[in-house]
Amino acid sequence: DAKTTQPPSMDCAEGRAANLPCNHSTISGNEYVYWYRQIHSQGPQYIIHGLKNNETNEMASLIITEDRKSSTLILPHATLRDTAVYYCIVRGLGQAGTALIFGKGTTLSVSS
Amino acid sequence: DAGVTQSPTHLIKTRGQQVTLRCSPKSGHDTVSWYQQALGQGPQFIFQYYEEEERQRGNFPDRFSGHQFPNYSSELNVNALLLGDSALYLCASSLEYSSQETQYFGPGTRLLVL
């Protein structure tokens, strides 16, 4: 079973920031938080991952709480092309052989 | 573009037939994982190949088998197809011993079993 809990759906206006929450209260000290998204009928796209520090790349920012029990993915200026299912996944460090366990994710709908 | 390629893009088979799906990993990657995604569900892990051997397997029957070649490409074989095998089949590649072994996905092969 997935180790994360996400809201099933969220809406966001184009141009506004989209903040997608994820709860991972049972996360272990050596587990990373990964975010992927899947646009309809395409393969999942890697977005970002982090261990305990906040992370930012060209796609998004990842904010992890100090106790690491939850995190938020931030898309700073959402566009229509950001409409997708977003998956938050917890995965162990140094475990290349471990599978990604996907939950149901959050369906983000961006509208104009 | 994650650099992972899969073929074919779409496939139609009938019950009882066998199917082979192919995956070429991102350049420089040596590990290939396969996932099945039924309509409306998240991807489910089938198995992973590293150094031409199956390293980890999910909860899938023996009808699902695979292979990894010396060039790191991989095949997924499904025998005795059932209607329930209709799904999007995803391949993901990663690099063993990289810093966090991020998996990158291909576009998938959509299989329809009639």
Side-chain angles (χ1 to χ4, degrees):
Chain A
D1 290 345
K3 296 184 179 181
T4 62
T5 303
Q6 300 177 252
S9 64
M10 295 184 65
D11 296 319
C12 181
E14 190 176 24
R16 304 298 293 269
N19 298 288
L20 291 89
C22 179
N23 181 287
H24 32 80
S25 58
T26 61
I27 193 169
S28 300
N30 66 345
E31 290 182 318
Y32 279 77
V33 179
Y34 280 78
W35 283 84
Y36 285 80
R37 73 179 182 183
Q38 188 172 26
I39 297 170
H40 183 62
S41 295
Q42 298 181 20
Q45 178 188 24
Y46 165 75
I47 302 173
I48 198 168
H49 71 279
L51 183 63
K52 53 183 177 181
N53 297 323
N54 298 337
E55 302 287 345
T56 296
N57 63 19
E58 64 278 5
M59 289 183 65
S61 294
L62 174 60
I63 308 298
I64 302 174
T65 57
E66 192 169 343
D67 63 8
R68 301 187 70 240
K69 293 185 177 182
S70 65
S71 61
T72 301
L73 179 74
I74 301 173
L75 307 179
H77 305 286
T79 71
L80 298 178
R81 288 184 293 181
D82 292 322
T83 293
V85 179
Y86 286 77
Y87 295 100
C88 171
I89 300 168
V90 166
R91 184 161 176 258
L93 171 67
Q95 296 179 16
T98 59
L100 293 172
I101 308 299
F102 288 81
K104 296 185 180 299
T106 296
T107 299
L108 175 67
S109 299
V110 181
S111 57
S112 57
Chain B
D1 182 2
V4 180
T5 61
Q6 293 186 243
S7 63
T9 56
H10 294 81
L11 204 52
I12 300 175
K13 292 286 188 178
T14 58
R15 281 181 299 173
Q17 284 189 313
Q18 178 263 344
V19 68
T20 298
L21 310 181
R22 295 176 176 82
C23 172
S24 291
K26 182 181 172 75
S27 178
H29 283 185
D30 58 8
T31 303
V32 174
S33 303
W34 286 92
Y35 294 80
Q36 180 196 65
Q37 186 173 24
L39 201 61
Q41 304 295 318
Q44 290 196 13
F45 176 73
I46 303 174
F47 44 53
Q48 184 182 85
Y49 277 84
Y50 172 68
E51 292 189 337
E52 302 180 47
E53 292 194 357
E54 183 182 295
R55 174 160 66 177
Q56 185 184 14
R57 190 180 183 91
N59 188 24
F60 279 81
D62 292 345
R63 297 188 298 109
F64 289 77
S65 63
H67 188 77
Q68 186 179 35
F69 299 94
N71 67 353
Y72 308 119
S73 67
S74 177
E75 288 182 349
L76 164 65
N77 301 292
V78 186
N79 295 321
L81 284 167
L82 304 174
L83 296 180
D85 295 332
S86 295
L88 179 67
Y89 288 86
L90 296 159
C91 164
S93 75
S94 55
L95 176 62
E96 181 79 355
Y97 302 121
S98 64
S99 57
Q100 285 97 32
E101 303 115 4
T102 299
Q103 293 187 14
Y104 294 89
F105 284 82
T109 293
R110 187 162 296 282
L111 172 65
L112 177 61
V113 181
L114 301 177

